[in-house]
Amino acid sequence: GEKYYDFSDQRFFRLVQLKWELIFEVLKLNYDFIIYSDTDVIWNKSPIELVSNRLNENLNVEILIQDASVDFGQKRLCMGFVAIRNSNGAKNLLEEAKNLHHLNSSLIASYGDDDAMSDLYIKNSDNKIELLPQILFPVGILFNLYSKKSTYPGLSGIEPYIFHANFVIGLKR
């Protein structure tokens, strides 16, 4: 049978629910923290030390996650890259996200893990979930941000309102 499910396929959204179980299993290995990274995430350099330092300097933070927000008041998180402290607090948050995912996917067919984490982030105001800086951990929609021509057909970015050209040297335009 077919092994790849496109993200427009409802089977994809059912398959993604297994991510929670995978994360819980890996947490049983007793690392201080784990990083979940989708297979389509390219690591230009290792983020491990940066993530470790952030978790060590702010013990209130349980989860570091990509920020895919593009509009005011509409927080969109992305589970493509997420660092999770191996703690009861993080496990409780993940359990809540898993339950949100399960419950809402029965109501909304395209409700995914990103939606569950976004809803959890909005619901919890105790700063236990921290957004990774978009400039260091960009999501795919940012890829074509400053180009008129799409490098990948079908992937279009948003048009930025500004470009702050400080630190740009030698550009004539």
Side-chain angles (χ1 to χ4, degrees):
E2 191 176 299
K3 293 184 182 185
Y4 175 78
Y5 299 127
D6 185 88
F7 62 81
S8 63
D9 188 321
Q10 295 311 311
R11 293 174 293 183
F12 172 83
F13 288 96
R14 289 194 301 268
L15 181 66
V16 168
Q17 288 191 43
L18 297 174
K19 184 184 289 186
W20 306 112
E21 298 307 322
L22 172 66
I23 290 171
F24 282 117
E25 285 301 312
V26 176
L27 285 170
K28 289 179 185 176
L29 299 174
N30 291 322
Y31 291 105
D32 292 337
F33 68 92
I34 65 166
I35 294 175
Y36 174 88
S37 180
D38 278 351
T39 57
D40 61 353
V41 173
I42 298 167
W43 289 28
N44 291 322
K45 58 184 179 179
S46 175
I48 295 170
E49 185 176 351
L50 181 70
V51 164
S52 175
N53 289 343
R54 183 60 188 152
L55 290 172
N56 286 330
E57 70 190 25
N58 189 344
L59 299 178
N60 187 51
V61 172
E62 302 287 354
I63 297 173
L64 297 169
I65 188 168
Q66 281 186 293
D67 181 2
S69 305
V70 295
D71 204 352
F72 295 108
Q74 294 181 340
K75 274 298 170 202
R76 290 289 305 149
L77 279 55
C78 179
M79 284 286 291
F81 183 95
V82 59
I84 303 161
R85 184 186 306 280
N86 196 347
S87 67
N88 288 333
K91 290 173 189 171
N92 290 339
L93 287 168
L94 293 172
E95 189 66 39
E96 192 173 348
K98 174 185 162 186
N99 291 338
L100 277 170
H101 191 180
H102 179 71
L103 173 69
N104 288 321
S105 64
S106 64
L107 304 171
I108 305 165
S110 61
Y111 190 90
D113 55 336
D114 296 341
D115 299 302
M117 285 302 292
S118 298
D119 289 346
L120 184 64
Y121 178 80
I122 293 164
K123 180 181 170 190
N124 290 283
S125 59
D126 54 7
N127 300 320
K128 296 204 176 289
I129 301 170
E130 185 171 281
L131 306 180
L132 292 163
Q134 287 180 320
I135 195 165
L136 297 175
F137 296 88
V139 294
I141 196 170
L142 301 177
F143 185 76
N144 291 322
L145 203 55
Y146 298 102
S147 173
K148 295 272 187 216
K149 184 179 176 193
S150 176
T151 305
Y152 292 101
L155 177 65
S156 59
I158 55 173
E159 183 179 349
Y161 285 88
I162 68 165
F163 171 70
H164 187 178
N166 60 339
F167 303 109
V168 178
I169 300 170
L171 292 180
K172 295 184 185 201
R173 299 192 323 174

